[in-house]
Amino acid sequence: MSIDLGAFGAHLREHQTTPDGARELERAGYGTLWLDASPPADLTQAEALLDATTRLVIGTSVVNAWTADAAVVAASYHRIVAKHPHRFLLGFGIGHREVHAEYASPYAKLASYVDELTAAGVPAERIVLAALGPRMLRLARDRTAGTVPCMVTPEHTRQARAVLGAGKLLLPGHFALVEPDSRRARTIARSEPPGTALQVTNYAANLRRLGFTDDDLTGTGSDRLIDALVAHGEPATVAKQLAAHREAGADQVGIYPLGDAPIATLRTIAEAMRLGSGG
């Protein structure tokens, strides 16, 4: 039986996520709640959120291959799916060279991590890779169920679909902020990711592949770049911008809410997309 991820997912960091919040997102109509920022290998938070909900899929975005032992992750996966067999998706990635002193040979590291997970009985169709560039996308295509990239645009989604082909999961994440004032929206976006993450090598290289320049990437980003990475405006405008990923070939669009009230932002966007009524 396949996992029903839904057309839209919600991305939250550990401190933003509670069982009550997960239930609220489930009621709002989201198909998946993604746990961001390198959750620990024991995956206990994912398990607690699954225990608190009835339909919502929980995914990791992303388990860090440098810090989370693959054997522990695999054991955690099996523990979780024994209780919730069709509601958990394991996403993992390589982290960033700016953070991990041991960072080297990222492709070889991720290929080895896939080997360890699958040898421990984690099905390839239940894992997704945080892939940005063509080589990592090919690894996701050949060895896993697909990819869960972030800091991307609909153009990246089009290019990624061309690499992945049909039948592989493409689950991009996009920042969103319900704020009609463009200047204020850009200011908020520059004060947290994406603005504060533009100097991260992996992200910067990918954005250059998409046609953005050094001028766009200087500091906390040009208006052109911020507008490409962050859906902002009235709720209906935000919903339309997010839907561009679906039009470009995404199976699901994951929403990274910006600002001080992430659950409220996600709920407002869901209402604009009428997720709860199947819209």
Side-chain angles (χ1 to χ4, degrees):
M1 179 177 177
S2 62
I3 296 179
D4 183 6
L5 298 173
F8 292 89
H11 284 257
L12 292 174
R13 292 177 176 268
E14 182 178 5
H15 71 277
Q16 299 171 320
T17 308
T18 64
D20 284 343
R23 285 189 287 266
E24 190 169 352
L25 294 174
E26 183 174 64
R27 288 192 296 270
Y30 285 94
T32 306
L33 171 56
W34 294 96
L35 299 180
D36 288 348
S38 302
D42 61 18
L43 302 178
T44 54
Q45 186 180 24
E47 186 174 13
L49 296 173
L50 286 164
D51 289 344
T53 53
T54 59
R55 172 192 56 79
L56 194 67
V57 173
I58 303 299
T60 54
S61 173
V62 291
V63 167
N64 191 314
W66 292 113
T67 60
D69 182 84
V72 177
V73 172
S76 302
Y77 170 87
H78 290 300
R79 183 190 75 243
I80 290 171
V81 299
K83 295 170 65 178
H84 305 285
H86 305 299
R87 295 177 53 210
F88 180 65
L89 193 62
L90 178 61
F92 67 96
I94 198 62
H96 306 296
R97 67 178 70 249
E98 289 82 2
V99 177
H100 305 291
E102 66 271 52
Y103 191 101
S105 303
Y107 182 91
K109 176 65 176 179
L110 287 185
S112 174
Y113 205 81
V114 175
D115 290 340
E116 293 181 72
L117 290 176
T118 54
V122 180
E125 63 268 22
R126 291 292 183 266
I127 58 179
V128 289
L129 179 62
L132 292 175
R135 195 179 185 208
M136 290 297 192
L137 286 168
R138 289 192 293 269
L139 178 63
R141 177 193 66 197
D142 296 340
R143 302 289 309 281
T144 76
T147 181
V148 54
C150 69
M151 286 274 288
V152 294
T153 66
E155 176 57 30
H156 182 272
T157 296
R158 276 187 285 273
Q159 295 179 16
R161 176 54 72 196
V163 174
L164 293 174
K168 290 292 183 176
L169 292 174
L170 178 51
L171 312 167
H174 199 98
F175 297 100
L177 176 63
V178 178
E179 174 51 68
D181 186 323
S182 294
R183 286 188 179 182
R184 175 168 168 74
R186 291 171 186 142
T187 297
I188 293 170
R190 288 180 169 119
S191 69
E192 51 186 302
T196 59
L198 295 179
Q199 306 313 310
V200 174
T201 302
N202 293 353
Y203 296 145
N206 189 57
L207 291 169
R208 288 189 177 94
R209 281 192 296 266
L210 292 171
F212 294 100
T213 67
D214 288 343
D215 287 341
D216 290 312
L217 291 161
T218 297
T220 54
S222 68
D223 286 356
R224 179 174 88 107
L225 178 55
I226 293 299
D227 290 348
L229 293 175
V230 182
H232 58 83
E234 299 286 356
T237 301
V238 172
K240 182 177 180 181
Q241 292 171 350
L242 293 168
H245 282 280
R246 295 270 292 166
E247 296 165 5
D251 296 287
Q252 179 193 83
V253 184
I255 303 168
Y256 290 84
L258 300 181
D260 296 329
I263 299 292
T265 295
L266 289 165
R267 188 175 60 244
T268 298
I269 294 171
E271 291 169 357
M273 296 185 291
R274 295 182 294 173
L275 292 185
S277 61

